[in-house]
Amino acid sequence: MLGQGGGAALEEHLVATVQHSLGLYLFDNACFLAERLVAQFPSEANLFLLATCYTRSNQSFRAYHLLKGLPGEQSRYLFALCAMQLGKLTEAETALLPDNDASQVPNGAAGFYLLGRIYQLSNRHSAAIAYYSTALQLDPMLWSAFEELCALGADTEAQQYLALAASAGGGAGPGPAVPAAAAPAGGGPQWAGFGGSDGGGWQGSPSSSSFLPVATPSLGQQQQQSQQQQQQQQQQGSSPGQEASPMSTAATKTGLGAMFSWMDAGRHRGTAGGTGARGMHGLDVGGTPSPGTYITPSPGGRPSAPPPPAPKPGGAGAAARPAWPANSPAPLPVGTGGFSLGLTSGPAAPQRKFMDEGKLRKVSGKLFAEPASVLKQLRWQGGGDGAGPASSSAGASSDSGGGGGSLAGMVALPGVPRGQRSQEGQQQALPLLHALGVGFHLLSMYRCQEAIDAFARLPPHHYQTGWVLCCVGRAFFEMVDYPEAAKAFSWARQVDPYRLKGLEVYSTVLWHCKREVELAQLAQAASSLDRQSPYAWCVLGNCFSLQKEHETALRYFQRALQLDPTLPYAYTLAGHEYFANEDFEKGITCYRNAIRIDPRHYNAWFGMGHIYYRQEKYGMAEYHFRRALSINARSSVLRCYLGMALHKLKRNAEALDMLGQAIAADPRNPLAKFERAMVLIAEDRWQDALAELRVLRDMAPREASVLFHMGKIYKRLDMLDEAMACFASALDLQPPSADTNLIKSAVEKLRTPDENEEEEI
């Protein structure tokens, strides 16, 4: 008869079998045995082991209630992870940072990364950036922290990490070098304490010249800076929170539609440089995501010069981009030379993790709560000497009965590689992360051509992975080069056919290209792979949106938001659908939710500006277009729409300057040329407007709107024969009936003055 307690051998055996089941991915069996273990031996270590089983069985809510109130370091870490997944951010922060004491943050870099995620989700971005920087300084291999820094637009911190990674490898390795200004003073970093029971970590004296921590303002200073920024925004432009009653949405749609026929595909979701969302409303041209040393203007500022042109692919320092493989429905075989295009036996694209797989590190010493002070007093214990408050529950290697410690030291399974972190390995790995990081950083700063060139410098076996090819495809998408983006994503699907993240952008590319069959196939494939993935539902929504079934598309985007309420892309797509249905209030709500989650999601800023433009609230539209332009300063479409808003505000000189910058940023942008011609007509500069329209006619010879306006200008110049020829050519193109009637009316009035005539195409 079994009673509670007794039997150390039994406890050790149950712990070992639970860990063995976890290692074999038999989570149900592990949960059952762990429940028996806790019933017989109810210790915190065993409770932590049971909570681990629940977490890996996708039952975070059970682990949350089981760990609540447990004081152990690993118990607090897992509790914080579960609480964050359940949306209980305050409890997660309290568990990781008890008594506001950073010395009690568990698991070192992983704990600070988790704190950064919590602060980011609670919209405290300055502190989140500081925690991510701290995590990277403690563990330079924590790539997820670097990704989040780039997503938050922390250009300085990201460049400091890249300089650190470059100097760690002695400046060798693939990828472009980081500018010297970004490198920290004092040379490269120093690592020690690798191997043994330490598991590898950052060990260097913060006071030494070889390492400088990232300077981070205190929370009080952050709040003061935020208040100063808000005051500047209020002085420079109207507040985005001001509301007004909806106005007529037909004011900007007169004559032949006031847009070109090729804009119909993107009228309800155009591309302001394309963001990872369906892009901005309007022409499917223009595009760009994030600047390294390029300084974006303030929301109320007015750039006086066009953005610097992106370097040409064949320019100095540019790497030759590999040619796209031929489209094939089946994965291509692995070649012996060049780029192998098929599935390889290498590891899949890295997935974001919250738990550090390295062995646990010990922290000692009293630390301040501010992230900037963490590194000043942080010291790592090199071995298992038992020093520090975490020694009882954070041993570097777990015993068979140490359920309260990390489970990273479980028994190795046959065929599973067992590695060991070392200084030599880290010095060889960091140049690779530097090469990948340079490309990702440039992409996140919307310097897309430079990002493509940086990725092209990668070795072939890294370039032809799903993650890199999706980044390349996104860069082409932001540049509004949809054919090249489609080729990149198609190649990514060949080498990694089961990757779902990134397909939402691919589906948007197919949406713009109007490839209905390919988009339907992609939607079917994505939904069959994982119906619990928000990216699959975004693909389905795009598929139905292309069929003009906006209500069905909205339901799919809302399902994506149910699965991941923190996905700003899904909010933006839903906002586009509401815009298509002219439900502007709900569209604004979706865009605001996207901005709440990600303030750098400039497509949402543009979406709000476009709605205000349609409602003839041109002052509000200007404000939101400027906010979007301050994030993506290289977008031609953003500058074009800002120029349109300035024109409506009767600020024609500024409008002409902004439209000129839009044309300089992207000479292929026809909307910018058309709108510039409209401003010139309003200024009675007939010859200049005619010159713009002639260039535009050569770019789009089948656009009735261009010929119609050319005919009106010829009539103003008393060149009636040329005007009649333009009107006749416009009618030959068979425009819609409403536009046909407008052109016929202009023909009938050809011999009469039209000083007050204001029809537009």
Side-chain angles (χ1 to χ4, degrees), residues 407-592:
L407 297 179
M410 289 189 296
V411 177
L413 300 176
V416 177
R418 294 287 290 179
Q420 185 173 357
R421 300 179 69 168
S422 64
Q423 182 178 3
E424 179 184 1
Q426 181 122 326
Q427 290 178 345
Q428 295 178 8
L430 283 178
L432 173 61
L433 293 188
H434 170 263
L436 293 168
V438 167
F440 186 80
H441 175 242
L442 291 170
L443 177 60
S444 65
M445 306 309 285
Y446 299 90
R447 297 163 60 180
C448 299
Q449 185 59 58
E450 298 172 55
I452 293 171
D453 295 339
F455 285 126
R457 296 185 182 96
L458 290 170
H461 51 278
H462 284 290
Y463 186 88
Q464 63 173 48
T465 57
W467 185 87
V468 173
L469 290 173
C470 283
C471 288
V472 173
R474 182 186 162 198
F476 279 116
F477 172 68
E478 298 293 350
M479 297 169 63
V480 199
D481 192 347
Y482 297 128
E484 289 298 307
K487 292 177 183 178
F489 281 114
S490 177
W491 191 4
R493 291 213 69 213
Q494 291 183 39
V495 301
D496 193 355
Y498 306 109
R499 180 184 179 89
L500 289 177
K501 188 174 182 180
L503 292 189
E504 75 281 9
V505 183
Y506 186 22
S507 66
T508 302
V509 171
L510 297 178
W511 189 98
H512 282 295
C513 295
K514 303 305 173 191
R515 301 182 184 177
E516 298 182 5
V517 176
E518 294 182 43
L519 183 53
Q521 291 176 343
L522 182 66
Q524 184 178 12
S527 59
S528 63
L529 285 176
D530 185 7
R531 296 186 67 86
Q532 299 300 314
S533 169
Y535 306 108
W537 289 98
C538 287
V539 175
L540 284 167
N542 276 337
C543 181
F544 279 89
S545 175
L546 185 57
Q547 303 298 326
K548 306 300 181 183
E549 299 183 25
H550 301 299
E551 295 298 332
T552 305
L554 270 172
R555 288 198 295 269
Y556 287 147
F557 294 139
Q558 289 166 357
R559 174 57 179 159
L561 290 170
Q562 287 179 341
L563 294 170
D564 186 1
T566 64
L567 187 63
Y569 190 78
Y571 277 115
T572 301
L573 292 176
H576 294 332
E577 296 304 314
Y578 282 122
F579 183 91
N581 290 338
E582 296 191 352
D583 192 345
F584 296 139
E585 293 303 319
K586 291 184 179 178
I588 286 178
T589 300
C590 287
Y591 291 136
R592 283 176 175 167

